[in-house]
Amino acid sequence: MELIDGNLIAAAIIAELKAEVAALPGRKPCIALVRVGDDPASVSYVKKKEKTAAEIGIAGRIHLPPVTITQAELFALIDQLNADPGVDGILVQSPLPKHIDEVAVFRRVSDKKDVDGFNTLNLGKVAQEDETGFVACTPAGIMALLARSGIDLKGKHVVVIGRSLIVGKPVALLALQKKAGANGTVTICHSGTSNLPAITRQADVLIAAIGRAEFVTADMVKPGAVVIDVGINRVPDATKKTGYRLTGDVEFTGVSAIAGKITPVPGGVGPMTVAMLMSNTVKAFRQNRSA
Ligand code: NDP
């Protein structure tokens, strides 16, 4: 078994972006990070994004509206950032409080600054294989992990568990694209799928984006398969200072014993998501400047 090291691959991408940004004349790219309230996971994600942006030389503008913000007020903030020529990318950290319609917020972000890749136009561009769009960061990160690990999907059976708009559906569309590195034969599974293990056992590349701790067990995996674990789950653990440990959607010990290649959690897909956000921000800067 070979471990796919997301930390290492993300660090290489970040170093490339840093060199690219250093060579840019004039104003540097800028990302606006909007975090509503202080959900602990969101606090740590936004901190990580702010830190990585600074490391690359991307300016970070942090907006921290209270959890009581109304949808109209949040729209007004997004409109202001959309109109601001000094802002290249906008990220609204999810999850948002229940009283806010998250998809409406994603749609409100200008498609030209949608570095999260969640608005309708950018999701559509993935389906159309239009490379001017922004690909959602986690799916883009998974594809980059595969490419930089020398895994070509052509002729492979790719099974995705999960059909969310932020991971499952877009990664399935990317794996399906008729282009180098992709060209996979793709099956998407979800909670309505019958006999899931019989399908996952056919996968040459298995992508688990379920949100259930250690759901994928060794009996669901074909020996030698590539296993990409997208899940980030907090499991209570009294031996940890935090009171919990992070684990993926894959039961790592059993599955790693039979997989050909596997991503760990943490240190697999997670760091790639942040790296791709930065890559999208530099792309937004270039595209918006040349528009
Ligand atoms: P969602 O909850 O939006 O989607 C989960 C998907 O899994 C749904 O399509 C659901 O099916 C499917 N599912 C749930 N239970 C089963 C089951 N028993 N059998 C088969 N399919 C099932 O989650 P996300 O896609 O947003 O996230 C998935 C995981 O990835 C989470 O752990 C999340 O924390 C993590 N994540 C990690 C990121 C990273 O940077 N590494 C970024 C984003 C997410 P149905 O549609 O039928 O309900």
Side-chain angles (χ1 to χ4, degrees), residues 138 162-164 166 190-191 209-212 215 230-233 270 273:
T138 303
R163 58 175 160 188
S164 73
I166 64 167
H190 45 77
S191 66
I210 313 156
R212 293 183 174 224
F215 180 90
V230 186
I232 301 178
N233 307 291
T273 299

Side-chain angles (χ1 to χ4, degrees), residues 45 49 94 118 137-139 142 160-169 188-193 196 208-213 215 220 229-234 247-249 265 268-274:
Y45 289 144
K49 289 167 186 175
S94 74
F118 291 162
C137 302
T138 303
I142 294 167
V160 180
I161 318 177
R163 58 175 160 188
S164 73
L165 271 180
I166 64 167
V167 190
K169 273 186 198 143
I188 308 177
C189 303
H190 45 77
S191 66
T193 299
L196 182 70
I210 313 156
R212 293 183 174 224
F215 180 90
M220 297 170 74
D229 188 353
V230 186
I232 301 178
N233 307 291
R234 290 179 177 208
T247 185
D249 287 347
V265 176
V269 174
M272 294 299 290
T273 299
V274 181

Side-chain angles (χ1 to χ4, degrees), residues 34 36 74 92-102 105-106:
V34 180
V36 177
L74 187 54
V92 183
Q93 183 64 47
S94 74
L96 290 168
K98 295 257 176 305
H99 65 277
I100 290 181
D101 177 348
E102 197 163 89
V105 169
F106 295 151

Side-chain angles (χ1 to χ4, degrees), residues 196-219:
L196 182 70
I199 299 170
T200 58
R201 274 197 297 268
Q202 295 172 31
D204 302 306
V205 177
L206 180 62
I207 301 175
I210 313 156
R212 293 183 174 224
E214 297 169 1
F215 180 90
V216 175
T217 45
D219 58 315

Side-chain angles (χ1 to χ4, degrees), residues 4-285:
I4 300 178
D5 188 338
N7 281 324
L8 207 71
I9 296 173
I13 293 172
I14 287 165
E16 288 162 22
L17 289 170
K18 190 173 174 180
E20 187 180 343
V21 168
L24 290 170
R27 175 176 83 72
K28 299 298 179 194
C30 171
I31 184 170
L33 298 164
V34 180
R35 192 195 81 213
V36 177
D38 46 18
D39 165 68
S42 295
V43 169
S44 86
Y45 289 144
V46 170
K47 238 189 230 154
K48 174 80 187 147
K49 289 167 186 175
E50 188 184 356
K51 188 168 159 263
T52 308
E55 190 185 333
I56 293 169
I58 294 173
R61 283 206 209 160
I62 318 298
H63 295 266
L64 303 173
V67 73
T68 50
I69 191 171
T70 65
Q71 178 133 346
E73 287 163 343
L74 187 54
F75 276 2
L77 171 60
I78 293 170
D79 291 347
Q80 180 200 320
L81 297 170
N82 282 341
D84 187 335
V87 171
D88 303 293
I90 301 168
L91 172 121
V92 183
Q93 183 64 47
S94 74
L96 290 168
K98 295 257 176 305
H99 65 277
I100 290 181
D101 177 348
E102 197 163 89
V103 173
V105 169
F106 295 151
R107 285 192 185 138
R108 191 80 174 195
V109 174
S110 157
D111 62 282
K112 296 186 170 50
K113 299 190 179 186
D114 173 36
V115 286
D116 234 353
F118 291 162
N119 89 8
T120 314
L121 193 82
N122 284 314
L123 283 167
K125 283 186 174 182
V126 173
Q128 290 176 338
E129 305 193 18
D130 176 341
E131 306 223 326
T132 64
F134 296 104
V135 177
C137 302
T138 303
I142 294 167
M143 296 305 285
L145 264 187
L146 292 168
R148 289 183 184 238
S149 304
I151 299 158
D152 187 346
L153 299 183
K154 188 172 182 198
K156 304 259 169 47
H157 187 186
V158 180
V159 176
V160 180
I161 318 177
R163 58 175 160 188
S164 73
L165 271 180
I166 64 167
V167 190
K169 273 186 198 143
V171 81
L173 282 170
L174 290 169
L176 190 65
Q177 287 188 339
K178 195 169 179 177
K179 69 175 206 191
N183 240 335
T185 301
V186 179
T187 301
I188 308 177
C189 303
H190 45 77
S191 66
T193 299
S194 304
N195 203 357
L196 182 70
I199 299 170
T200 58
R201 274 197 297 268
Q202 295 172 31
D204 302 306
V205 177
L206 180 62
I207 301 175
I210 313 156
R212 293 183 174 224
E214 297 169 1
F215 180 90
V216 175
T217 45
D219 58 315
M220 297 170 74
V221 177
K222 177 159 90 175
V226 173
V227 180
I228 305 292
D229 188 353
V230 186
I232 301 178
N233 307 291
R234 290 179 177 208
V235 177
D237 185 340
T239 67
K240 301 278 179 204
K241 243 199 318 207
T242 50
Y244 65 84
R245 69 187 163 90
L246 284 184
T247 185
D249 287 347
V250 174
E251 194 281 298
F252 186 83
T253 308
V255 174
S256 61
I258 62 159
K261 297 186 182 193
I262 187 167
T263 59
V265 176
V269 174
M272 294 299 290
T273 299
V274 181
M276 298 325 283
L277 177 69
M278 300 303 146
S279 166
N280 277 348
T281 303
V282 175
K283 179 176 176 180
F285 173 82

